[in-house]
Amino acid sequence: MFPYLKVHTNANSMEARQCESCLREDSKVCAEFYCFDCEEPLCSSCLKNHKKNKFLMSHHTVDLDFIEIFPTSTLSKITHCAKHGDGRVDLFCTDHEALCCRHCMTESHRSCKSILPIDIAAREIRSSPLSSMLTQDLTLFLQTLNTLITNREETGKTFEKDVEEIRSQVKSFKGQVIDHVDRLEKSIIDNLQDFCVEEKEGLQHEKDYLLNTRKSYHKSKSDLDVVIQHGSDSQIFLFAHNLAHRLANDETLIQSKAMMYKDVSVEFKPENGLQDSIQSIGTLNICKQPCLLRSFSQNRRQAQVITRPVETKTQFLYRSQIDISVSENVQITAIAVTNDNRLILCNRYSNRLLVYSDSGKFLQDCTLFCKPWDIAILPDGNRGVVTLPLENSIQFLNISNMTTDKEQISIHNKCHGVAVVSNFIVVGANRELYILAMDGSIRTRVQVPGQLIYFLHGGDNNSVYYTDYHCLYHVGLDGEEIFRYDNPDLKVPEGIARDNQGYLCVIGRGSQNVHRVGDNGRAIDIVLNRDDGVILPWAITFNNKGTKAFISTHDGKCISVYDIHIYTKQKGILNN
């Protein structure tokens, strides 16, 4: 694609700017325009003929001088299929929101109902939300990179100040001891220098990475502006989709890196007493606190392709009830579903986890250190983690054989809700979220709105949902509030789960109902209430296919099972 552009982009001679149409008639005329559809330069006369011809009048032409700034190399790459090098990307599957070539259509989209040519899918792309949102997201992403770079620079300066302060402290302390301390002084200054070099190299490496990323996206934003202003609809469509995919990946990568960044400081602690100082004049303590800067876009980048409107309606139909028959008191506060559709139940009145099949058959139990409250299954599906609020701790277990780790991990605070977000375990406490690594080590803790956090559910883009008996909250892992859902028809909100349409389902124990909430905090509907058997509910979850809902009802003494039916309505036709 764009053969002329590849050869003549940087050419300024008369020969390099001749009209191809006129050359075919052995006439040398200076070209002033370029037709992307014909892929050749045109003079003003041929351009007029282009505009007059019925079959050529829709071609996209631009001023030839513009070619020098047009991102031709990027567009040339994304025009060809990454999977099939010889395939040209000229189709768009609306079912999968995917760009594809003819080979892709044959291999992966044979059964898809709506595959459009690029020129049809790209109609009105210039004024579509995709272009404007992508521009906004690039601006936000670049702002985030600038903020992180500034943070790295400021941390470096602060670290330098700390180092200078310690040098002063060490020299002052040196005067209080005898000549023997000179050797100790040298030792500690050398250690300080080692720490300084190591940390500065790390900060510089982080900063260099961010600078390179910012440079790349400045170029991408500039290219996008040029393509939107001067490119054809197909070019804008291809460029925007490719850039949106890369931006989504890099946003996640940068956010993960930002979560791992540490604000570095150093302090000097002198030894108490002259006798101690003779052996050591102090120690160096490197203090690192997580740098949780966050300002990423929450936009959904999808192609603005005009399709037939589809309405969906979801019904929860009561199927059966699982009675929890054990000798001790029962109040099921949390339910987890394994990959093989076993139900793991947390009974707050017993130190035993209960395991049932999804059909209601008791399978086994698992003994914990003490009484559990909530449970989350880790991404690999083989391990889980439960909260033990009476012990202010968590405990890991093997999901396959239902055995527990020998030790519990202290959280140093009363903890209830637990969820997995990206590569972190998040534990809820009183107005705080504890962010843990997958091994249970505490990375940081952040202050959040609300009160005691009882239930958690992982969200997208390093965010989490939680309830505190009053509201449903959505916050980032930096503690920044995204929205809160406070509805008079939702009383004492408890368990949270997400259905296969992406809506949040929130238990209202006081109101005895189940609310569905959009990812923007907007109320969708109340799908279940007391008349449907939702009596004093606690927890909710779905099976892996999203076709069944399991709700802890009757004050946690049984599990009510509901079949989920989704009806789609299109052009007056209702399909199940």
Side-chain angles (χ1 to χ4, degrees), residues 9 20 24 74 93 95-96 120 157 182 186 219 235 272 280 316 323 377 388 421 478 492 496 530:
T9 296
E20 293 285 342
R24 285 193 285 271
T74 302
C93 174
D95 293 349
H96 294 95
I120 300 298
K157 293 176 182 178
D182 288 338
K186 183 179 182 303
K219 178 64 168 58
Q235 291 166 342
N272 293 325
S280 171
F316 285 59
D323 293 319
I377 295 179
L388 310 173
V421 180
D478 57 357
V492 192
I496 315 166
R530 185 180 176 88

Side-chain angles (χ1 to χ4, degrees), residues 60 62 134 186 191 288 345 360 371 473 488 520 524-525 530 549 559 563:
H60 183 69
V62 297
L134 187 57
K186 183 179 182 303
N191 287 339
K288 295 185 178 183
L345 312 179
K371 300 170 183 177
Y473 297 87
N520 57 357
I524 304 299
D525 53 15
R530 185 180 176 88
I559 306 298
D563 288 328

